[in-house]
Amino acid sequence: MNILDKYNLNSNQLEAAKHIEGPALVLAGAGSGKTRILTLRILNLVKSKMAGSDQILALTFTNKAADEIKERLSNMLGTEDIFSWMGTFHSISYKILRIFVQELSPDYKKGFTIYDSNDQTKLLKETIKYLDLDINQHPPALIKTIIDNLKNSRPYDEWNIEDKNRKNIIETYQRKLKENNSMDFGDLILNCYQLVSKNKKVRDYLRKTFKYVLIDEYQDTNEIQFKLIKLLLNEKKNLFVVGDDNQLIYGWRGASVDTILNFESLFPKTKLYKLEQNYRSTPQILDIANSLIANNKKRMDKDLWTSNPKGDLVELTSHRSDIDEAKHVAKKIKDCLEIFRLNDIAVFYRTNAQSRVLEDELRKSKIKYKIFGNISFYERAEIKDMICYLRFIANPNDSIAFNRIINTPSRGIGAKTLQKMIDIKTEDMTYIDLLKLSLDSNVFSKKSEVMVRKFIYAIDNFVLSLNNNVLISECTEQFLMDSKYQEYLKDEDRIENISEFINVISDWEEDTDNNNISEFLNTLSISSTIDGLNSSDELITLMTIHLAKGLEFPCVFFVGLEDQIVPHSRTHDNEKELEEERRLCYVAITRAIKKLHLSYALFRKVFGQIMPSTKSRFVEEIAESENIIRFDEDSLESSDFGNEKKVFHYRFGSGYIVYDEDSIEDVVLVQFDSGFRKKVFIYDLENS
């Protein structure tokens, strides 16, 4: 009896798991059991005496995946076999560097430490200050991204940084890391590559140690990781990789679809195995996924299928606004609870900012939720900053708000300067008055003085505009420009969150005639607290699509399928990035087990303004499938736009006649499904 016979593998799975020598590429579609195959291949190598557990290098991208494989093998082998060379790229690189630390001298010594993301940011801030450069002109987050991209793609001696200041910052940062006997996460893999590539003794030792090399989620490997892998292979090239080109969604981390597409040309004797049977989803969900991904040009030929029972049609729903969409999701979740538990349900979105409207509606509906891998909208640092700014403007005696925002963005006001200010503050003095007194008392450096004056101007301008009955949302937008806060962020996700916060203010303004900051803040404090919810541990999950990879849920809602969101607006002119956005959509769809809801809005608020939105081009690619059931505007129960008549225009397509107080004879205003609002002749319209 074969070692693998008792595991009920299909023929393709069995062939892959039995693979012994030479390079192998396992194309494993979503839900096809790829982790199981990787595990069973290791089991077969160990039980057939082809290799000991300490002769197998197994690389994963998460500790969770490595632990899962180790646990499965432990149960199968009936022993706590160590598998000492199984782990993430970072953990294995760290182990190699630690073993051969003497070879790293004089740059590094025994006992070197690893800097996490926060440590990296702190050291970058120190470096920028040390070089006497403006931290607002050289934000640490941006420099950190540049460094990470460099370390993911090329050796140190091939770095080419054109900007002189950035080059100086990065070189000084790297020097300080060595002085501190420390490495950041990018250094772990890059230094390991440098060590193995330049040191024959280390390279020969590792090649002799690793009889077999296996990689999970191979499509996610970046250039440096791939170069390291090639160096570790011995002459037999026993490389076994499992991956899916359709699920490559980390291009921004340096991963390239070419890594998997070119595998057979890089390793000419490659044996290709395709795992196309899906054990997760219904045939209806898989049909939608296959229809979508077929539009990608750079992909390997495979077609997912399943023997699972027939399921419900995939629901595709259009909404007038993002608020309507969120209301609909909350209502449908309540309906779904007749079949599913809260833990069975997930809501996916493309950007973090989209969670706010959903969170608000879920709270109103008393549906308990969790934000997976992120924090709730109102707990995000930039949102807390904005709330504290508004608190301070409304109440200049608020010390908590003052302490949070006085040096955000950086105004060069450190602990010593703050203490000098506190020393001259009288009991009845507001913090605005304290700032003005501190200016008169020469408490600040010349550089700080300029920034404090701009800060006071921004606040005074806000108050003046508010007293002249300018809306809070408009005052806040102007304040963002005056205070340079948005420039300080220089992070697309965080700027989108600020835009969404202005939408929060705008929504509040639509429901009240009271243009009072304190009233808004008090309403916010009440509505942003999760109260009155069921105390059970069951929650639905909200998450971005990137975080959903590798997970599965019986019921999935995928919202915001609009052309500025999915695909993201920054990818529209780049075919390579558009294909990655389509793969992202594919990943979202293939997380669903039994029920899938897709939706988009025709209008979405951006910086407090209602803007037309166009349904995603990806919707067009799947909309005609027989496995989709559509629910359009006129079939929905609620709408913020009234009950307009559905019409069709020969040139602009379907839409709705909307109220127009300036209408003239024979001309009407139509909101078209494409997102455009146009005046057209009534005789050019047909009933739809």
Side-chain angles (χ1 to χ4, degrees):
M1 180 178 175
N2 188 283
I3 295 165
L4 302 172
D5 287 346
K6 68 177 182 179
Y7 293 103
N8 298 317
L9 301 176
N10 65 44
S11 58
N12 288 356
Q13 289 177 326
L14 183 61
E15 285 301 309
K18 284 168 58 180
H19 180 87
I20 299 296
E21 288 205 341
L25 169 60
V26 181
L27 274 180
S32 64
K34 67 173 183 59
T35 304
R36 188 166 181 244
I37 296 311
L38 194 73
T39 306
L40 290 175
R41 202 252 170 160
I42 295 172
L43 176 76
N44 192 46
L45 290 174
V46 174
K47 293 201 80 170
S48 62
K49 310 294 185 185
M50 297 296 294
S53 62
D54 59 348
Q55 295 177 304
I56 296 171
L57 172 63
L59 295 163
T60 66
F61 278 85
T62 65
N63 289 312
K64 180 185 174 185
D67 292 342
E68 183 182 333
I69 295 169
K70 284 181 182 178
E71 185 178 353
R72 289 187 188 186
L73 285 167
S74 179
N75 292 333
M76 290 171 175
L77 292 166
T79 177
E80 289 288 332
D81 223 322
I82 297 172
F83 289 99
S84 55
W85 291 103
M86 183 180 294
T88 64
F89 274 90
H90 288 100
S91 66
I92 296 299
S93 294
Y94 171 64
K95 184 172 182 176
I96 292 171
L97 292 172
R98 195 181 62 202
I99 291 170
F100 296 103
V101 67
Q102 71 277 6
E103 305 295 334
L104 302 175
S105 180
D107 290 339
Y108 296 96
K109 300 180 285 292
K110 186 178 180 180
F112 66 85
T113 55
I114 303 168
Y115 278 10
D116 63 16
S117 184
N118 289 333
D119 297 325
Q120 197 177 356
T121 300
K122 286 176 184 175
L123 185 59
L124 278 169
K125 286 180 178 178
E126 286 179 20
T127 302
I128 294 164
K129 186 177 180 181
Y130 170 79
L131 295 171
D132 198 27
L133 294 170
D134 187 345
I135 200 164
N136 294 318
Q137 292 295 316
H138 304 282
L142 177 62
I143 303 296
K144 181 175 174 294
T145 299
I146 294 169
I147 291 171
D148 290 343
N149 288 339
L150 288 168
K151 291 180 180 179
N152 286 337
S153 59
R154 62 198 68 174
Y156 298 111
D157 55 8
E158 293 180 17
W159 289 8
N160 182 24
I161 307 161
E162 293 182 0
D163 185 280
K164 288 183 180 179
N165 284 331
R166 286 182 183 174
K167 186 174 189 289
N168 198 9
I169 292 169
I170 292 170
E171 288 178 349
T172 306
Y173 166 79
Q174 287 299 129
R175 191 182 73 246
K176 283 180 173 289
L177 278 173
K178 291 177 182 178
E179 288 172 359
N180 294 351
N181 196 31
S182 301
M183 301 183 196
D184 61 28
F185 279 107
D187 285 319
L188 287 176
I189 298 174
L190 188 48
N191 275 325
C192 186
Y193 164 75
Q194 299 270 92
L195 173 67
V196 177
S197 64
K198 294 179 178 180
N199 192 307
K200 186 177 185 300
K201 181 179 76 172
V202 173
R203 186 167 62 250
D204 290 346
Y205 173 84
L206 293 172
R207 286 178 175 179
K208 186 177 179 181
T209 300
F210 304 140
K211 289 184 68 175
Y212 294 91
V213 179
L214 300 92
I215 305 172
D216 189 22
E217 300 286 7
Y218 176 71
Q219 75 280 351
D220 292 333
T221 53
N222 61 41
E223 185 66 23
I224 287 297
Q225 288 166 339
F226 179 66
K227 286 182 174 181
L228 175 59
I229 292 159
K230 285 199 296 181
L231 286 173
L232 294 175
L233 296 176
N234 60 33
E235 69 280 358
K236 292 186 178 179
K237 300 289 188 287
N238 286 328
L239 176 62
F240 184 92
V241 303
V242 181
D244 182 5
D245 53 310
N246 291 339
Q247 295 190 67
L248 191 154
I249 58 174
Y250 293 116
W252 47 278
R253 287 185 188 169
S256 169
V257 71
D258 291 330
T259 304
I260 199 166
L261 296 182
N262 298 336
F263 189 87
E264 290 175 281
S265 61
L266 291 167
F267 302 98
K269 294 182 180 179
T270 293
K271 178 68 176 174
L272 177 65
Y273 303 97
K274 290 185 181 182
L275 306 185
E276 297 172 298
Q277 183 175 359
N278 176 285
Y279 293 91
R280 176 187 298 152
S281 306
T282 64
Q284 288 66 36
I285 292 169
L286 281 190
D287 174 65
I288 301 303
N290 286 332
S291 298
L292 174 71
I293 204 64
N295 291 278
N296 269 8
K297 295 174 183 175
K298 293 195 76 171
R299 59 185 292 265
M300 298 187 77
D301 182 39
K302 63 179 178 299
D303 197 30
L304 281 185
W305 63 277
T306 186
S307 59
N308 288 342
K310 185 178 179 181
D312 293 336
L313 296 177
V314 173
E315 294 184 11
L316 173 61
T317 312
S318 66
H319 302 275
R320 302 294 178 83
S321 71
D322 49 348
I323 295 174
D324 278 344
E325 181 181 47
K327 286 178 179 176
H328 179 72
V329 169
K331 180 181 180 300
K332 291 292 288 186
I333 286 172
K334 286 197 165 183
D335 294 343
C336 288
L337 292 179
E338 296 176 10
I339 305 169
F340 302 110
R341 298 177 304 135
L342 283 174
N343 286 349
D344 293 334
I345 302 170
V347 184
F348 298 157
Y349 38 82
R350 175 66 176 83
T351 65
N352 285 313
Q354 289 173 263
S355 78
R356 197 277 303 177
V357 177
L358 292 162
E359 289 184 67
D360 285 353
E361 292 303 326
L362 292 173
R363 277 193 294 268
K364 289 175 187 175
S365 300
K366 297 193 180 338
I367 297 171
K368 203 164 185 179
Y369 66 89
K370 63 181 176 183
I371 305 283
F372 181 86
N374 209 317
I375 52 177
S376 177
F377 181 80
Y378 294 104
E379 292 299 313
R380 293 168 192 165
E382 58 274 18
I383 303 305
K384 285 188 170 185
D385 288 346
M386 291 309 303
I387 290 171
C388 280
Y389 269 120
L390 293 183
R391 277 172 51 184
F392 184 65
I393 291 167
N395 174 20
N397 289 305
D398 188 333
S399 64
I400 301 297
F402 174 78
N403 286 330
R404 182 177 183 97
I405 54 88
I406 184 56
N407 211 34
T408 306
S410 174
R411 300 182 179 93
I413 301 173
K416 288 182 180 179
T417 305
L418 273 175
Q419 190 56 53
K420 288 180 184 177
M421 293 171 65
I422 298 302
D423 289 343
I424 62 173
K425 184 181 184 296
T426 60
E427 191 173 333
D428 58 347
M429 185 181 290
T430 69
Y431 283 95
I432 282 287
D433 290 336
L434 175 60
L435 284 171
K436 292 174 181 177
L437 176 61
S438 298
L439 285 170
D440 294 338
S441 305
N442 297 318
V443 168
F444 305 115
S445 67
K446 288 185 179 180
K447 189 175 179 182
S448 293
E449 183 181 324
V450 172
M451 289 187 278
V452 169
R453 289 190 188 280
K454 287 180 180 178
F455 176 56
I456 293 172
Y457 168 79
I459 290 174
D460 287 346
N461 196 32
F462 190 115
V463 173
L464 179 64
S465 298
L466 199 65
N467 291 338
N468 288 327
N469 297 316
V470 177
L471 291 173
I472 298 171
S473 56
E474 294 177 18
C475 293
T476 305
E477 280 195 75
Q478 184 60 47
F479 178 79
L480 284 167
M481 289 186 280
D482 291 342
S483 66
K484 308 290 186 186
Y485 183 79
Q486 198 161 307
E487 291 179 26
Y488 151 75
L489 289 178
K490 288 195 176 179
D491 178 278
E492 195 166 346
D493 283 345
R494 298 182 74 189
I495 289 170
E496 285 176 358
N497 287 336
I498 293 298
S499 168
E500 191 58 35
F501 181 72
I502 292 174
N503 293 344
V504 174
I505 303 172
S506 176
D507 290 344
W508 177 80
E509 289 167 340
E510 289 174 8
D511 294 330
T512 183
D513 294 325
N514 192 350
N515 197 39
N516 182 285
I517 298 178
S518 296
E519 287 295 319
F520 165 70
L521 290 170
N522 289 337
T523 303
L524 191 65
S525 295
I526 295 167
S527 65
S528 64
T529 302
I530 303 175
D531 54 7
L533 300 176
N534 192 310
S535 60
S536 74
D537 291 329
E538 293 228 341
L539 311 97
I540 70 159
T541 302
L542 274 60
M543 66 172 73
T544 62
I545 313 167
H546 279 100
L547 292 175
K549 189 160 174 277
L551 303 176
E552 61 183 31
F553 296 90
C555 179
V556 168
F557 291 83
F558 181 10
V559 303
L561 276 159
E562 296 145 43
D563 230 35
Q564 296 299 304
I565 301 174
V566 186
H568 199 282
S569 55
R570 66 169 175 258
T571 68
H572 288 189
D573 298 324
N574 187 313
E575 187 62 32
K576 178 182 174 183
E577 291 184 4
L578 273 174
E579 293 212 345
E580 178 154 331
E581 291 288 301
R582 190 178 284 110
R583 292 194 293 269
L584 194 59
C585 242
Y586 174 86
V587 166
I589 290 169
T590 54
R591 301 309 95 194
I593 298 174
K594 292 183 177 178
K595 190 74 180 173
L596 176 62
H597 305 261
L598 309 174
S599 61
Y600 60 93
L602 299 179
F603 289 91
R604 189 170 291 273
K605 275 193 174 179
V606 180
F607 279 102
Q609 303 296 312
I610 296 176
M611 303 293 288
S613 205
T614 308
K615 67 184 172 185
S616 172
R617 64 195 73 188
F618 301 152
V619 170
E620 299 288 357
E621 295 171 1
I622 61 175
E624 300 307 314
S625 169
E626 61 181 14
N627 287 306
I628 277 190
I629 181 169
R630 296 196 60 152
F631 296 96
D632 291 318
E633 308 275 16
D634 51 354
S635 66
L636 302 178
E637 292 184 6
S638 68
S639 173
D640 288 345
F641 295 84
N643 297 313
E644 297 87 5
K645 184 178 179 183
K646 187 77 181 281
V647 293
F648 179 81
H649 188 277
Y650 72 94
R651 183 177 174 190
F652 303 118
S654 297
Y656 296 84
I657 296 176
V658 297
Y659 174 71
D660 180 15
E661 59 186 14
D662 297 323
S663 61
I664 57 176
E665 188 177 3
D666 295 333
V667 175
V668 292
L669 182 65
V670 178
Q671 173 59 51
F672 290 101
D673 290 354
S674 63
F676 293 104
R677 181 175 284 207
K678 292 180 180 290
K679 288 183 178 180
V680 297
F681 289 109
I682 198 164
Y683 45 74
D684 283 336
L685 299 174
E686 303 173 22
N687 288 331
S688 179

